[in-house]
């Protein structure tokens, strides 16, 4: 029997959330193309395994997570050291050191002293940042390479408007009453609206749905498995959410979206240039994206403004052709 040749292993660390994973897809695909003979392994929380594999940018996942978006220990890495390790987790020594502890043959990190890494720019969009970082090491990546294939799963509400009121932190959660007002107006305009949430957001989902008078069939609680969630978004008429993972999933499926930004500007985490997406944002001092109260800038966005943006994207006859290069996402 012929033994399969050894494939060098490449470990990438990006152990964050769904939105971070999807914002990192352009960089991950650049790595995949640059090292076609390597087995690309992505270290990230185990709950994101299905999402990571759906990108087709990695061969396997390595479970790794830490509380509060911290740097996880990688000491349970199996077998010999990675041939190459790439830090896409952050710009500090903690993530670099977690990878360095595995003694990879080569390590790429913002905090790596040699070879001299590119400069970290705090005002740079997340997708652009990591593509520029890789380019400094001769790895080409396109910040607009974000699309995911339409999943094989069945959508629980094809053609519906998906409203997702949750977010990891309170500072990025628009008030439930305003979401409910938006849901009522969209329903009155003849659109089917479903409300979704993560595994720990049932109370919020039920609050919004109850205020809006939605029927039980349109209340998608409990946190959908990724395949079902991805199918829901891919076949939706529109996604309305805060600055959270579902907004990035809408971008990945080219589904029209209205995203409500607060503590963080859409110029740092918003959708790519496209006529499909509206990012609502009131300029002001940056806030805490992990704060425990709604951000003041987010609260300046009214239900009427968000509803008008949603209806503009839902109007009959609106083109859904892919946007041309250079078209700007609308920021209001």
């Amino acid at each position: 029997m012929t033994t399969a040749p050894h494939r060098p292993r490449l470990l990438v660390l990006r152990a964050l959330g769904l939105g971070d994973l999807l914002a990192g897809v352009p960089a991950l695909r650049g790595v995949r193309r640059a090292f076609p003979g390597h087995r690309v392994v992505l270290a990230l929380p185990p709950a994101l395994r299905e999402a990571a594999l759906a990108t087709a940018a990695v061969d396997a996942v390595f479970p790794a997570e830490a509380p509060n978006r911290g740097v996880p220990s990688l000491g349970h890495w199996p077998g010999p050291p990675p041939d190459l390790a790439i830090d896409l987790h952050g710009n500090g020594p903690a993530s670099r050191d977690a990878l360095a502890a595995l003694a990879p043959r080569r390590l790429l990190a913002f905090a790596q002293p040699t070879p001299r890494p590119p400069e970290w720019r705090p005002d740079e969009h997340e997708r652009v940042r990591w593509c520029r970082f890789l380019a400094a090491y001769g790895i080409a990546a396109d910040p607009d390479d974000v699309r995911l294939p339409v999943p094989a799963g069945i959508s629980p509400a094809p053609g519906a408007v998906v409203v997702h009121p949750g977010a990891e932190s309170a500072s990025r959660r628009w008030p439930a009453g305003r979401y409910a007002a938006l849901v009522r107006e969209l329903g009155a305009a003849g659109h089917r609206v479903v409300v979704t949430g993560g595994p720990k957001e049932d109370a919020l989902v039920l609050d919004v749905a109850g205020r809006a008078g939605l029927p039980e069939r349109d209340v998608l609680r409990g946190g959908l498995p990724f395949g079902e969630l991805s199918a829901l978004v891919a076949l939706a008429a529109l996604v309305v959410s805060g600055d959270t993972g579902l907004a990035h999933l809408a971008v990945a499926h080219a589904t029209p979206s209205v995203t409500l930004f607060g503590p963080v500007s859409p110029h740092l985490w918003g959708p790519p240039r496209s006529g499909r997406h509206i990012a609502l944002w009131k300029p002001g001092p940056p806030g805490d994206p992990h704060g425990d109260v709604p951000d003041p800038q987010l609260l300046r966005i009214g239900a009427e403004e968000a509803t008008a943006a949603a209806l503009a994207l839902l109007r009959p006859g609106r083109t859904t052709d892919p946007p041309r290069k250079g078209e700007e996402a609308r920021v209001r």
Side-chain angles (χ1 to χ4, degrees):
M1 187 173 84
T2 304
T3 302
H6 166 72
R7 291 179 69 191
R9 294 195 297 177
L10 190 163
L11 176 62
V12 179
L13 174 61
R14 192 167 175 83
L16 298 162
L18 176 61
D20 305 274
L21 167 64
L22 296 176
V25 163
L28 291 170
R29 287 187 173 150
V31 170
R32 172 76 285 170
R33 288 190 295 267
F35 299 94
H38 285 61
R39 179 173 173 79
V40 178
V41 180
L42 177 61
L44 83 172
L48 296 178
R49 178 182 182 277
E50 190 178 357
L53 295 178
T55 69
V58 301
D59 297 303
V61 299
F62 175 57
E65 61 183 329
N68 302 318
R69 301 171 62 87
V71 177
S73 168
L74 305 177
H76 54 300
W77 171 257
D83 294 85
L84 174 61
I86 302 178
D87 180 7
L88 298 184
H89 189 90
N91 68 329
S95 51
R96 175 205 64 197
D97 291 348
L99 288 168
L102 302 180
R105 292 184 181 179
R106 186 183 179 201
L107 172 60
L108 307 183
F110 263 114
Q112 187 74 348
T114 55
R116 185 175 180 181
E119 177 187 2
W120 176 275
R121 299 174 185 169
D123 59 347
E124 190 169 34
H125 194 286
E126 184 74 0
R127 290 187 301 271
V128 174
R129 168 182 292 127
W130 294 109
C131 292
R132 180 180 60 85
F133 164 76
L134 292 175
Y137 295 103
I139 301 171
D142 178 0
D144 292 331
D145 187 9
V146 297
R147 291 291 299 274
L148 293 182
V150 176
I154 298 174
S155 167
V161 175
V162 177
V163 173
H164 185 87
E168 182 182 19
S169 62
S171 62
R172 289 181 280 127
R173 289 187 211 123
W174 203 46
R178 298 187 196 182
Y179 273 115
L182 178 144
V183 171
R184 287 194 301 270
E185 290 298 320
L186 295 184
H191 301 284
R192 181 186 177 188
V193 184
V194 299
V195 179
T196 68
K200 300 178 181 179
E201 294 176 338
D202 279 0
L204 176 59
V205 169
L206 291 170
D207 185 17
V208 172
R211 296 187 195 208
L214 284 184
E216 179 65 26
R217 73 184 185 107
D218 292 335
V219 183
L220 306 179
R221 67 181 97 179
L224 297 178
F226 178 77
E228 192 174 349
L229 181 66
S230 187
L232 173 70
V233 170
L235 299 178
L238 175 73
V239 170
V240 181
S241 74
D243 175 18
T244 189
L246 211 71
H248 293 272
L249 192 56
V251 167
H253 286 308
T255 298
S257 68
V258 175
T259 307
L260 312 169
F261 282 84
V264 177
S265 164
H267 297 296
L268 301 179
W269 279 92
R273 296 172 180 176
S274 166
R276 294 174 181 269
H277 307 292
I278 295 178
L280 296 181
W281 177 60
K282 304 300 183 183
D288 180 3
H290 310 296
D292 56 8
V293 295
D295 182 80
Q297 312 296 5
L298 179 63
L299 293 178
R300 290 172 57 196
I301 302 171
E304 298 84 359
E305 182 180 4
T307 301
L311 290 173
L313 291 176
L314 288 166
R315 68 176 181 266
R318 182 184 171 276
T319 180
T320 56
D321 291 335
R324 297 184 300 273
K325 286 275 189 178
E327 289 183 335
E328 294 285 345
R330 282 178 280 173
V331 179
R332 298 180 179 178

